[in-house]
């Protein structure tokens, strides 16, 4: 019996001779995202007389996007699975406040507090997932309720006052930098890993009787990865070095990319988002898949909350306000579909970098906060429109 998931899908057909920009987004989303990011950087570089692309500014930009990037790592899995979570900003604030309460008010050990917050984040993510899957409350409503409840809990726990100062060991998590020698060793490891994965893929293609990609294409791909990693480290080393939260985010990128591209669970996430009923008929435990993605989202909220508290050296009851908008916008800008079933982790991180670039650039230009919100809202609508329009081009 043929599995519903094995139904052949015809190759997408693109209309020729019209809407070349939409065809670019539809065929080469990653290239289009990088092009858009480059245009944003050039615009802010010009408007700030070059200060936007100075090493210290770039370092601050990547540090700023690390929190949004962590939220986007979890959010993109939820969107791919066909759900949404509006509570992530408030959950970030709650967990960031919790680590401050444990370390400052209760005097807990920093690393024990961090572990407790990570476990709490995963547990609260499971609660969101359980209410969505078992009580069948739409995830939109669950997230909306969580947005209010978690914000109320953090205000109750902190008495609506900032808790400070946090221990130095906690602050170092967000304020420390990777030693320059170690950062270059990491670059070498990235290049070696890229070479190894490329060689393994070519070997697997030969074993399966498939034609591998041309050698020159693989050489260019590995060379591009190596040049990007080396340039990234070279620029940041001209400031203070690679910020530790950025290194943590890159580690999460590797883990989530491996989950989505190399594991059965990752394939199940895409299958569930693409067609829930077909996935269920094929034997996939849909409830378990959705529970796991919500748990991972809670874990990412915990990481982001810890970094936020450590970076500001204080637990603030207003931390994470608007974080859900940035995370969702990052995923849609990065190519995730509002219909579910498509999206990538690296695309979501590029989207997070776009959002951080808009924030950083407009702040350097002294743009009024109200206009910053208008621009970010417009970017979110534009990203969803592009998804709808490119699907029409493929129809």
């Amino acid at each position: 019996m043929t599995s519903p998931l094995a139904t052949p899908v015809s190759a997408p057909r693109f209309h020729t001779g019209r809407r070349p920009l939409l065809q670019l987004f539809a065929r080469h989303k990653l290239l289009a995202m990088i092009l858009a990011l480059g245009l944003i950087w050039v615009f802010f570089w010009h408007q700030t007389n070059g200060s936007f692309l100075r090493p210290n500014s770039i370092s601050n930009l990547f540090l700023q996007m690390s929190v949004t990037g962590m939220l986007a790592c979890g959010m993109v899995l939820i969107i791919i699975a066909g759900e949404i979570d509006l509570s992530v900003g408030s959950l970030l604030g709650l967990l960031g406040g919790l680590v401050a309460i444990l370390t400052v008010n209760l005097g807990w050990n920093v690393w024990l507090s961090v572990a407790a917050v990570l476990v709490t984040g995963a547990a609260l993510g499971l609660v969101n997932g359980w209410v969505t899957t078992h009580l069948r409350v739409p995830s939109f409503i669950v997230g909306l309720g969580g947005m209010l409840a978690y914000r109320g809990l953090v205000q109750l726990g902190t008495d609506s006052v900032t808790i400070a100062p946090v221990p130095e060991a906690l602050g170092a998590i967000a304020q420390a930098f990777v030693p320059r020698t170690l950062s270059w060793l990491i670059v070498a490891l990235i290049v070696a890993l890229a070479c190894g994965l490329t060689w393994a893929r070519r070997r697997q293609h030969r074993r399966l009787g498939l034609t591998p990609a041309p050698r020159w294409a693989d050489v260019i791909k590995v060379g591009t990865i190596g040049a990007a990693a080396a340039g990234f480290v070279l620029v940041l080393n001209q400031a203070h070095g690679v910020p530790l939260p950025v290194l943590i985010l890159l580690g999460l990128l590797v883990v989530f990319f491996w989950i989505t591209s190399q594991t059965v669970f990752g394939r199940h996430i895409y299958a569930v988002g693409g067609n829930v009923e077909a996935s269920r008929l094929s034997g996939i435990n849909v409830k378990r898949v959705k529970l796991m993605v919500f748990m991972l989202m809670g874990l990412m909220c915990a990481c982001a909350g810890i970094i936020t508290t450590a970076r500001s050296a204080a637990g603030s009851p207003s931390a994470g306000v608007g974080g859900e908008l940035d995370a969702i916008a990052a995923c849609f800008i990065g190519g995730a579909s509002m219909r579910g079933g498509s999206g990538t982790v690296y695309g979501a991180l590029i989207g997070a970098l776009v959002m951080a670039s808009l924030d950083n650039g407009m702040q350097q230009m002294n743009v009024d906060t109200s206009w910053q919100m208008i621009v970010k809202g417009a970017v979110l609508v534009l990203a969803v429109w592009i998804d709808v329009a490119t699907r029409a081009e493929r129809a």
Side-chain angles (χ1 to χ4, degrees):
M1 180 177 178
T2 304
S3 168
L5 292 178
T7 304
V9 179
S10 60
R13 295 171 298 171
F14 296 89
H15 301 295
T16 58
R18 61 189 182 93
R19 298 184 179 181
L21 185 60
L22 289 181
Q23 291 182 26
L24 172 66
F25 275 95
R27 292 176 182 267
H28 308 288
K29 284 190 175 182
L30 180 60
L31 176 62
M33 286 186 290
I34 294 175
L35 177 61
L37 179 62
L39 292 175
I40 291 172
W41 283 14
V42 169
F43 172 78
F44 285 128
W45 170 79
H46 180 267
Q47 294 297 317
T48 60
N49 296 319
S51 65
F52 180 78
L53 292 181
R54 288 174 184 161
N56 284 333
S57 180
I58 292 292
S59 178
N60 185 61
L61 171 63
F62 279 103
L63 183 58
Q64 188 173 339
M65 68 86 64
S66 61
V67 170
T68 303
M70 291 174 187
L71 294 179
C73 282
M75 184 64 74
V76 72
L77 297 189
I78 286 184
I79 292 175
I80 291 171
E83 303 291 348
I84 198 71
D85 190 351
L86 298 178
S87 69
V88 296
S90 297
L91 185 54
L92 180 158
L94 174 62
L95 296 169
L98 179 60
V99 74
I101 291 171
L102 293 178
T103 55
V104 178
N105 292 357
L106 302 182
W108 282 30
N109 173 271
V110 168
W111 300 113
L112 179 61
S113 301
V114 167
V117 169
L118 291 174
V119 172
T120 303
L124 291 175
L126 281 174
V127 170
N128 287 351
W130 186 83
V131 174
T132 299
T133 57
H134 288 75
L135 300 185
R136 299 188 178 182
V137 179
S139 58
F140 179 86
I141 301 301
V142 175
L144 189 60
M147 178 193 296
L148 300 173
Y150 295 145
R151 185 61 60 186
L153 284 173
V154 68
Q155 291 178 355
L156 186 65
T158 61
D159 291 326
S160 297
V161 297
T162 299
I163 300 175
V166 301
E168 290 185 6
L170 178 59
I173 295 176
Q175 299 171 16
F177 295 89
V178 179
R180 286 172 168 78
T181 302
L182 178 59
S183 63
W184 286 114
L185 289 176
I186 293 173
V187 170
L189 179 62
I190 291 173
V191 174
L193 183 62
C195 291
L197 290 175
T198 301
W199 177 78
R201 184 172 63 251
R202 294 183 66 87
R203 186 177 180 184
Q204 183 182 30
H205 281 187
R206 291 195 186 96
R207 186 171 64 250
L208 296 175
L210 303 174
T211 303
R215 290 185 182 275
W216 61 266
D218 285 338
V219 170
I220 291 177
K221 185 182 297 183
V222 173
T224 301
I225 293 173
F232 174 77
V233 169
L234 183 63
V235 170
L236 292 184
N237 279 348
Q238 293 179 28
H240 303 286
V242 179
L244 184 57
V246 176
L247 182 63
I248 295 172
L249 179 62
L250 292 176
L252 290 172
L253 168 62
V254 173
V255 171
F256 277 78
F257 178 75
W258 176 76
I259 289 174
T260 54
S261 63
Q262 302 296 324
T263 67
V264 174
F265 171 63
R267 296 185 182 94
H268 286 177
I269 296 174
Y270 284 95
V272 168
N275 192 320
V276 175
E277 191 58 33
S279 301
R280 187 177 290 110
L281 293 174
S282 297
I284 296 175
N285 190 329
V286 174
K287 290 184 178 179
R288 185 174 62 186
V289 170
K290 292 190 176 184
L291 275 173
M292 290 297 294
V293 296
F294 274 101
M295 184 199 72
L296 290 173
M297 182 74 259
L299 194 60
M300 290 302 98
C301 287
C303 292
I306 292 168
I307 294 298
T308 300
T309 298
R311 187 183 177 193
S312 61
S316 172
S318 62
V321 173
E324 61 282 341
L325 169 64
D326 288 344
I328 293 171
C331 295
F332 288 145
I333 292 171
S337 171
M338 60 181 296
R339 297 175 178 84
S342 66
T344 59
V345 178
Y346 58 82
L349 290 189
I350 293 177
L353 186 56
V354 169
M355 295 301 293
S357 299
L358 291 173
D359 278 335
N360 193 288
M362 288 189 290
Q363 287 169 9
Q364 290 191 34
M365 290 175 60
N366 294 319
V367 176
D368 187 80
T369 305
S370 58
W371 279 106
Q372 294 184 33
M373 296 173 65
I374 291 171
V375 170
K376 291 165 67 175
V379 168
L380 174 57
V381 174
L382 176 63
V384 175
W385 173 77
I386 289 174
D387 171 57
V388 173
T390 53
R391 278 179 176 264
E393 285 294 304
R394 294 194 294 268

